[in-house]
Amino acid sequence: MAWYNILMKSYIVGNWKMNFAVGESSVYLHKLTERIRASRDLEIVVAPSAIALQPLSLQIDRKKLRLAAQTANPHDFGAYTGEVSFAQLRGLVDYCIIGHSERRQLFHESDKQVRLAVAAALRNNITPILCIGETSTERTFGETSDVVRDQLLGGLSEVSAEDINKVIIAYEPIWAISSTTDAHIATPDEVAEIVTFIRRTLTDTYSSSIAEAIPILYGGSVKPTNAGAYLTVPGVNGLLIGGASLIADQFIDIIDTAKKVIS
Ligand code: PGA
């Protein structure tokens, strides 16, 4: 394992997407809390639907788990019907997933919205988890590094020098998300190549000390069976998990694997 994997905190982030009613979220959080032991080196984060964030923020045991929003609007307040802002989430969540591929693709979130959201999160004391990743067509046409570089540097372009090391990056190749076949699962070598590229881009743009201090997570069909392989990729500091985070046994299995890898 590379030295920066060892020195840096690791993260296991469960993206619940649009699943669970509020009551179910509360029951599930309770179940996780009962079964998880607090660890200084491993931050466990769950991202429930927006509607559940306020009640869960009163319930959560912050020594064991932290809350993330799945998206938020970069304007602090105003006439934006249906939206929830980072300013409104301040104090409720510690993290926010930003620029998830489902937001970019299904809800047409632009690069501009993503970079304004990263800045708004930081302004409101919320750690952005900036998601970047290529589609299968982009990969086939050899555009992966251009896409990843543009999303990375675009997403960070409004971040000040003092704040740059408060950001988390999640590399999620879109073709590997929610995959049901092994053919569409990224191999650890494929992940290693892009994570190395991300760190090199951060080094060239900022500095090597900044590049080494920014956590990079991997996401895309992470399961208990492959979590260990991704977590031991040099430069990977954690996982962003969708489907498997909805099943307590699987999520806890992944957490246990992470504890073993970092110990
Ligand atoms: P998945 O989702 O683990 O179900 O592939 C990951 C994500 O969309 O963040």
mmCIF file of all heavy atoms in Angstrom, residues 4 6 11 18 45 80 98 128 130 137-138 146 167 188 221 241-242 261-262:
data_model
loop_
_atom_site.group_PDB
_atom_site.id
_atom_site.type_symbol
_atom_site.label_atom_id
_atom_site.label_comp_id
_atom_site.label_asym_id
_atom_site.label_seq_id
_atom_site.Cartn_x
_atom_site.Cartn_y
_atom_site.Cartn_z
ATOM 1 N N TYR A 4 0.596 7.195 1.396
ATOM 2 C CA TYR A 4 -0.514 8.127 1.656
ATOM 3 C C TYR A 4 -1.813 7.400 1.954
ATOM 4 O O TYR A 4 -2.712 7.967 2.532
ATOM 5 C CB TYR A 4 -0.677 9.177 0.550
ATOM 6 C CG TYR A 4 -0.534 8.690 -0.860
ATOM 7 C CD1 TYR A 4 -1.564 7.999 -1.479
ATOM 8 C CD2 TYR A 4 0.644 8.917 -1.562
ATOM 9 C CE1 TYR A 4 -1.424 7.563 -2.775
ATOM 10 C CE2 TYR A 4 0.791 8.481 -2.857
ATOM 11 C CZ TYR A 4 -0.246 7.804 -3.465
ATOM 12 O OH TYR A 4 -0.113 7.355 -4.741
ATOM 13 N N ILE A 6 -1.864 5.052 4.028
ATOM 14 C CA ILE A 6 -1.741 4.707 5.438
ATOM 15 C C ILE A 6 -1.961 5.939 6.318
ATOM 16 O O ILE A 6 -2.664 5.896 7.314
ATOM 17 C CB ILE A 6 -0.351 4.081 5.704
ATOM 18 C CG1 ILE A 6 -0.222 2.787 4.918
ATOM 19 C CG2 ILE A 6 -0.139 3.832 7.193
ATOM 20 C CD1 ILE A 6 1.180 2.285 4.765
ATOM 21 N N TYR A 11 -12.510 6.465 4.094
ATOM 22 C CA TYR A 11 -13.939 6.810 4.081
ATOM 23 C C TYR A 11 -14.751 5.689 3.446
ATOM 24 O O TYR A 11 -14.385 5.184 2.383
ATOM 25 C CB TYR A 11 -14.179 8.084 3.246
ATOM 26 C CG TYR A 11 -13.486 9.296 3.797
ATOM 27 C CD1 TYR A 11 -12.138 9.535 3.526
ATOM 28 C CD2 TYR A 11 -14.161 10.194 4.614
ATOM 29 C CE1 TYR A 11 -11.483 10.646 4.054
ATOM 30 C CE2 TYR A 11 -13.520 11.302 5.148
ATOM 31 C CZ TYR A 11 -12.183 11.509 4.858
ATOM 32 O OH TYR A 11 -11.544 12.607 5.384
ATOM 33 N N MET A 18 -32.535 7.373 -3.979
ATOM 34 C CA MET A 18 -33.938 7.657 -3.627
ATOM 35 C C MET A 18 -34.586 6.387 -3.080
ATOM 36 O O MET A 18 -35.545 5.865 -3.635
ATOM 37 C CB MET A 18 -34.696 8.180 -4.852
ATOM 38 C CG MET A 18 -35.962 8.964 -4.478
ATOM 39 S SD MET A 18 -36.756 9.686 -5.921
ATOM 40 C CE MET A 18 -37.368 8.243 -6.761
ATOM 41 N N VAL A 45 -19.942 7.254 6.437
ATOM 42 C CA VAL A 45 -20.866 8.329 6.066
ATOM 43 C C VAL A 45 -22.057 7.706 5.344
ATOM 44 O O VAL A 45 -21.877 6.818 4.499
ATOM 45 C CB VAL A 45 -20.155 9.327 5.108
ATOM 46 C CG1 VAL A 45 -21.075 10.487 4.751
ATOM 47 C CG2 VAL A 45 -18.855 9.847 5.717
ATOM 48 N N TYR A 80 -36.086 29.422 -5.704
ATOM 49 C CA TYR A 80 -35.653 28.212 -6.426
ATOM 50 C C TYR A 80 -36.552 27.057 -5.994
ATOM 51 O O TYR A 80 -36.153 26.197 -5.193
ATOM 52 C CB TYR A 80 -34.166 27.920 -6.145
ATOM 53 C CG TYR A 80 -33.294 29.075 -6.550
ATOM 54 C CD1 TYR A 80 -32.839 29.982 -5.602
ATOM 55 C CD2 TYR A 80 -32.990 29.305 -7.890
ATOM 56 C CE1 TYR A 80 -32.084 31.087 -5.978
ATOM 57 C CE2 TYR A 80 -32.246 30.409 -8.278
ATOM 58 C CZ TYR A 80 -31.793 31.285 -7.321
ATOM 59 O OH TYR A 80 -31.068 32.375 -7.713
ATOM 60 N N ILE A 98 -21.453 15.670 -4.648
ATOM 61 C CA ILE A 98 -21.686 16.713 -5.661
ATOM 62 C C ILE A 98 -21.301 16.178 -7.038
ATOM 63 O O ILE A 98 -20.265 15.517 -7.195
ATOM 64 C CB ILE A 98 -20.869 17.988 -5.319
ATOM 65 C CG1 ILE A 98 -21.410 18.597 -4.021
ATOM 66 C CG2 ILE A 98 -20.943 19.005 -6.469
ATOM 67 C CD1 ILE A 98 -20.655 19.792 -3.519
ATOM 68 N N PRO A 128 -17.304 18.755 0.400
ATOM 69 C CA PRO A 128 -17.813 18.242 -0.875
ATOM 70 C C PRO A 128 -17.158 16.916 -1.245
ATOM 71 O O PRO A 128 -15.948 16.754 -1.092
ATOM 72 C CB PRO A 128 -17.419 19.324 -1.889
ATOM 73 C CG PRO A 128 -16.451 20.227 -1.214
ATOM 74 C CD PRO A 128 -16.360 19.867 0.231
ATOM 75 N N LEU A 130 -16.705 15.344 -4.508
ATOM 76 C CA LEU A 130 -16.866 15.673 -5.926
ATOM 77 C C LEU A 130 -16.725 14.405 -6.772
ATOM 78 O O LEU A 130 -15.670 13.770 -6.785
ATOM 79 C CB LEU A 130 -15.804 16.708 -6.334
ATOM 80 C CG LEU A 130 -15.683 17.003 -7.829
ATOM 81 C CD1 LEU A 130 -16.966 17.631 -8.392
ATOM 82 C CD2 LEU A 130 -14.484 17.922 -8.098
ATOM 83 N N THR A 137 -18.839 5.222 -23.627
ATOM 84 C CA THR A 137 -18.474 5.735 -24.964
ATOM 85 C C THR A 137 -17.192 6.553 -24.879
ATOM 86 O O THR A 137 -16.292 6.413 -25.717
ATOM 87 C CB THR A 137 -19.613 6.624 -25.524
ATOM 88 O OG1 THR A 137 -20.827 5.922 -25.367
ATOM 89 C CG2 THR A 137 -19.397 6.989 -26.974
ATOM 90 N N GLU A 138 -17.104 7.412 -23.877
ATOM 91 C CA GLU A 138 -15.890 8.226 -23.725
ATOM 92 C C GLU A 138 -14.667 7.336 -23.529
ATOM 93 O O GLU A 138 -13.597 7.585 -24.084
ATOM 94 C CB GLU A 138 -16.059 9.201 -22.553
ATOM 95 C CG GLU A 138 -17.023 10.331 -22.893
ATOM 96 C CD GLU A 138 -17.605 11.069 -21.693
ATOM 97 O OE1 GLU A 138 -17.492 10.580 -20.534
ATOM 98 O OE2 GLU A 138 -18.212 12.120 -21.907
ATOM 99 N N ASP A 146 -9.169 13.062 -20.568
ATOM 100 C CA ASP A 146 -9.657 14.429 -20.809
ATOM 101 C C ASP A 146 -10.914 14.714 -19.986
ATOM 102 O O ASP A 146 -11.044 15.768 -19.372
ATOM 103 C CB ASP A 146 -10.011 14.621 -22.301
ATOM 104 C CG ASP A 146 -8.756 14.722 -23.155
ATOM 105 O OD1 ASP A 146 -7.671 14.937 -22.579
ATOM 106 O OD2 ASP A 146 -8.864 14.555 -24.389
ATOM 107 N N VAL A 167 -11.477 19.067 0.285
ATOM 108 C CA VAL A 167 -12.331 18.428 -0.717
ATOM 109 C C VAL A 167 -12.025 16.926 -0.787
ATOM 110 O O VAL A 167 -10.886 16.511 -0.577
ATOM 111 C CB VAL A 167 -12.045 19.089 -2.094
ATOM 112 C CG1 VAL A 167 -12.722 18.352 -3.219
ATOM 113 C CG2 VAL A 167 -12.470 20.548 -2.077
ATOM 114 N N PRO A 188 -9.244 -3.486 -10.479
ATOM 115 C CA PRO A 188 -8.372 -2.653 -9.632
ATOM 116 C C PRO A 188 -7.288 -1.950 -10.459
ATOM 117 O O PRO A 188 -6.944 -0.806 -10.172
ATOM 118 C CB PRO A 188 -7.782 -3.664 -8.644
ATOM 119 C CG PRO A 188 -8.851 -4.718 -8.530
ATOM 120 C CD PRO A 188 -9.444 -4.837 -9.912
ATOM 121 N N SER A 221 -20.309 -0.239 -8.350
ATOM 122 C CA SER A 221 -20.546 -1.666 -8.098
ATOM 123 C C SER A 221 -19.625 -2.264 -7.045
ATOM 124 O O SER A 221 -19.165 -3.397 -7.183
ATOM 125 C CB SER A 221 -20.445 -2.456 -9.408
ATOM 126 O OG SER A 221 -21.372 -1.952 -10.341
ATOM 127 N N ILE A 241 -20.476 3.878 -2.144
ATOM 128 C CA ILE A 241 -21.220 2.646 -2.419
ATOM 129 C C ILE A 241 -22.704 2.948 -2.555
ATOM 130 O O ILE A 241 -23.292 3.586 -1.679
ATOM 131 C CB ILE A 241 -21.009 1.657 -1.238
ATOM 132 C CG1 ILE A 241 -19.503 1.451 -1.011
ATOM 133 C CG2 ILE A 241 -21.706 0.338 -1.492
ATOM 134 C CD1 ILE A 241 -19.175 1.103 0.416
ATOM 135 N N GLY A 242 -23.301 2.473 -3.630
ATOM 136 C CA GLY A 242 -24.739 2.635 -3.827
ATOM 137 C C GLY A 242 -25.478 1.394 -3.349
ATOM 138 O O GLY A 242 -25.746 1.226 -2.156
ATOM 139 N N VAL A 261 -8.149 -3.608 6.217
ATOM 140 C CA VAL A 261 -7.154 -3.073 5.267
ATOM 141 C C VAL A 261 -6.351 -1.946 5.909
ATOM 142 O O VAL A 261 -5.133 -1.872 5.714
ATOM 143 C CB VAL A 261 -7.852 -2.568 3.972
ATOM 144 C CG1 VAL A 261 -6.900 -1.781 3.098
ATOM 145 C CG2 VAL A 261 -8.432 -3.747 3.192
ATOM 146 N N ILE A 262 -7.000 -1.100 6.707
ATOM 147 C CA ILE A 262 -6.240 0.045 7.247
ATOM 148 C C ILE A 262 -5.488 -0.297 8.533
ATOM 149 O O ILE A 262 -4.627 0.466 8.939
ATOM 150 C CB ILE A 262 -7.133 1.289 7.481
ATOM 151 C CG1 ILE A 262 -8.241 1.005 8.494
ATOM 152 C CG2 ILE A 262 -7.705 1.798 6.181
ATOM 153 C CD1 ILE A 262 -9.078 2.236 8.816
#
